[in-house]
Amino acid sequence: MEEKNVFRIKHLGKTFGTHVVLKDIDFTVNTGDVTCIIGASGSGKSTLLRCMNLLETPTSGEILYHDEPITGKNFNQSSYRAKVGMVFQSFNLFNNMTVLENCMVGVTKVLKKSKEEARETAMFYLEKVGMAPYINAKPRQLSGGQKQRVAIARALAMKPEVILFDEPTSALDPQMVGEVLAVIRTLAKEGFTMIIVTHEMAFARDVSSHVVFMADGVICEEGAPEEVFGNPKTAKMQEFLTRFINN
């Protein structure tokens, strides 16, 4: 089967004032890819994801979604956001809504589905992430791991083509990290197209089909996980891996 091109990032740059955060970023995401973006804090990973989600506007270069530039004048941003889901490190749940309402709201408001259909969809994905018993709870009654699983169910309920994860476990206690990574592993096995910014190196090595290693706003290495982790080409990647092994 021919690979379907979803994203092409071409010569992407982003600056904040005089501070250059991204420089000449190039990579491609195909249908079914699990792309893990790794690198030290401050390397530009989250900014790259925020540009892809239009939370930041690129300073230069292009992000093409099915060959259409997402910053183009006639580009339908709300339709794009419905197709490209985002899971944040800080959960971003609506605190005044129950778990079920959090997962229904986008389906009714954005996808314009009936409440019955939205409820059915929300329940299906809450079941999938193991959060169906908590549908009447408010976010304040949940652990961090549970909140993140609800956030994943909320993203899935929109039936997106791609899900972006911005360090989905970095705000969690160590014992909760595993439950969230287990959900993402299941999605990977089911063929979801995902782009994941993560500090979890063992997870990136095991789950990704493609690894992008960033340092100082540039891509230093990219390729299959066995290549990047098993045969690093640059001193920066070797140093990064040494730190990971020693930790």
Side-chain angles (χ1 to χ4, degrees), residues 128 180-192 194 207:
K128 189 179 188 65
V180 171
L181 293 183
V183 170
I184 301 173
R185 280 176 197 273
T186 302
L187 299 179
K189 282 184 191 143
E190 291 175 6
F192 278 87
M194 299 186 282
V207 173

Side-chain angles (χ1 to χ4, degrees), residues 61-245:
E62 283 185 309
I63 299 172
L64 301 173
Y65 175 69
H66 295 297
D67 292 325
E68 201 180 343
I70 68 171
T71 51
K73 218 182 288 182
N74 301 318
F75 187 74
N76 186 333
Q77 292 193 1
S78 53
S79 165
Y80 171 75
R81 283 210 173 100
K83 291 175 189 159
V84 179
M86 182 93 176
V87 175
F88 298 87
Q89 55 183 297
S90 54
F91 324 125
N92 284 25
L93 297 176
F94 299 112
N95 290 320
N96 60 330
M97 293 184 187
T98 65
V99 162
L100 183 59
E101 288 165 345
N102 262 283
C103 293
M104 285 175 61
V105 64
V107 183
T108 53
K109 296 268 196 281
V110 180
L111 301 184
K112 309 294 185 199
K113 303 291 185 189
S114 69
K115 278 201 167 161
E116 292 72 27
E117 192 175 341
R119 184 188 167 88
E120 199 178 310
T121 303
M123 286 304 300
F124 176 81
Y125 289 109
L126 285 165
E127 195 83 55
K128 189 179 188 65
V129 302
M131 288 302 292
Y134 301 89
I135 56 169
N136 297 316
K138 293 278 181 72
R140 67 174 178 275
Q141 297 169 294
L142 303 176
S143 71
Q146 289 171 327
K147 285 183 203 172
Q148 197 59 292
R149 284 188 281 153
V150 172
I152 293 170
R154 179 178 63 179
L156 289 169
M158 299 294 287
K159 300 193 176 164
E161 184 186 10
V162 185
I163 306 182
L164 311 178
F165 290 87
D166 185 12
E167 300 194 11
T169 58
S170 69
L172 303 180
D173 293 336
Q175 66 270 28
M176 293 172 189
V177 169
E179 66 188 59
V180 171
L181 293 183
V183 170
I184 301 173
R185 280 176 197 273
T186 302
L187 299 179
K189 282 184 191 143
E190 291 175 6
F192 278 87
T193 307
M194 299 186 282
I195 303 168
I196 308 165
V197 168
T198 183
H199 280 113
E200 301 290 335
M201 291 304 103
F203 169 79
R205 185 185 56 212
D206 296 346
V207 173
S208 65
S209 56
H210 188 80
V211 175
V212 173
F213 168 63
M214 292 181 65
D216 305 319
V218 300
I219 293 177
C220 289
E221 290 197 38
E222 65 168 318
E226 54 273 17
E227 267 299 300
V228 176
F229 285 101
N231 187 24
K233 309 270 189 304
T234 62
K236 281 188 175 169
M237 184 63 191
Q238 287 164 359
E239 184 192 331
F240 182 73
L241 281 178
T242 305
R243 254 183 307 167
F244 154 60
I245 291 160

Side-chain angles (χ1 to χ4, degrees), residues 22-33:
L22 298 174
K23 292 172 266 189
D24 204 27
I25 300 289
D26 275 292
F27 70 98
T28 300
V29 178
N30 293 311
T31 301
D33 279 357

